[in-house]
Amino acid sequence: MIMNRLGRILFFIMLGGALLLPYGLHAQDKDQQDIPADKQQDSGKKTGDNSSKPPNKAKNLKKLQKELATPYKKWLEEEVPYIISGEERSAFLQLQTNEEREQFIEAFWQRRDPTPDTVENEFKEEHYRRIAYSNEHFASGIPGWKTDRGRMYIMWGPPDEIESHAAGSLYTRPSEEGGGQTTVYGFDQWRYRYMEGLGNNIIIEFVDPSGTG
């Protein structure tokens, strides 16, 4: 008896919902029909208005970057592009005043100082030394810090070994490369005994197919 009674209650609830659903739809259609045609068109325009869309974050960041004063733009784009994290870059672009930017830059170097209790910041000094070295030795139509060798030098420092080959020289291929000799473009091989996150005995090869150095 109890099961039959529950079954009837559920049936009536479901049946009631089935009967109410068409009524609700018809009522909505009727309300829509009562709205004048010109009002319906205006409503459609408002729905499609792009002003309700969220702002494009990438576009805003690009705009902020263009608005940066020259020294801060230079710091961000030329001095620290290889060592600043994505989160730090986004945070810097959100700053509104030069005072905030100065505080950010100071904290940026402090976080990287291996000896915060001393006056010198060895990391900062070494970083700018690497930039100067890259500009002096790797420039080739573009500033040295922009080249591949400059980028690697700034990020990882001087390699433990460098093997250089002039353009047109004979190169004896190692057995794992098939052996024999071949004429090559100018290229350098830099070997690092250890690179954090990459491992031991890392060899990076820089090739100069255009012959520009």
Side-chain angles (χ1 to χ4, degrees):
M1 290 294 292
I2 294 175
M3 291 298 296
N4 291 339
R5 186 176 179 183
L6 289 174
R8 284 197 294 274
I9 292 173
L10 292 173
F11 175 77
F12 288 137
I13 292 173
M14 294 175 64
L15 181 59
L19 291 173
L20 287 172
L21 184 59
Y23 174 79
L25 289 176
H26 286 310
Q28 185 178 0
D29 293 342
K30 184 176 183 303
D31 292 341
Q32 185 68 20
Q33 291 173 1
D34 291 340
I35 299 175
D38 58 342
K39 296 293 184 182
Q40 293 183 17
Q41 291 175 357
D42 291 342
S43 176
K45 289 179 181 178
K46 290 179 180 179
T47 303
D49 190 357
N50 290 331
S51 62
S52 62
K53 294 182 179 179
N56 189 313
K57 186 175 180 181
K59 185 179 293 185
N60 287 346
L61 288 177
K62 189 174 182 180
K63 181 181 178 182
L64 284 169
Q65 188 170 342
K66 287 183 178 179
E67 292 175 352
L68 285 177
T70 301
Y72 302 108
K73 185 176 182 180
K74 181 177 183 294
W75 181 82
L76 183 65
E77 296 183 354
E78 299 182 19
E79 298 179 17
V80 298
Y82 304 141
I83 63 172
I84 192 170
S85 68
E87 292 79 7
E88 288 174 323
R89 183 182 181 86
S90 296
F92 186 78
L93 290 173
Q94 297 294 338
L95 301 178
Q96 300 299 318
T97 67
N98 288 342
E99 182 180 359
E100 291 177 341
R101 295 181 182 107
E102 289 290 346
Q103 293 174 353
F104 180 97
I105 293 173
E106 183 178 356
F108 175 89
W109 293 119
Q110 285 178 349
R111 286 193 296 273
R112 290 161 170 79
D113 188 356
T115 56
D117 296 332
T118 63
V119 177
E120 295 81 10
N121 185 329
E122 294 83 357
F123 181 94
K124 180 180 179 180
E125 292 176 0
E126 172 63 11
H127 179 72
Y128 282 102
R129 185 200 68 78
R130 293 179 184 182
I131 292 176
Y133 184 92
S134 298
N135 287 334
E136 182 179 352
H137 292 85
F138 305 137
S140 177
I142 58 175
W145 69 267
K146 281 188 173 183
T147 65
D148 291 331
R149 285 184 297 174
R151 176 167 58 90
M152 294 305 301
Y153 190 92
I154 291 169
M155 292 175 64
W156 298 100
D160 297 297
E161 294 179 11
I162 297 179
E163 181 180 325
S164 296
H165 299 266
S169 61
L170 287 177
Y171 172 67
T172 302
R173 290 190 294 257
S175 57
E176 59 267 21
E177 295 180 7
Q181 287 188 326
T182 184
T183 303
V184 296
Y185 292 117
F187 75 95
D188 281 357
Q189 285 185 340
W190 289 10
R191 187 175 77 85
Y192 289 87
R193 294 192 183 95
Y194 173 74
M195 298 176 79
E196 185 176 354
L198 296 177
N200 299 313
N201 197 33
I202 303 298
I203 296 177
I204 302 171
E205 187 171 285
F206 303 94
V207 183
D208 180 22
S210 63
T212 59

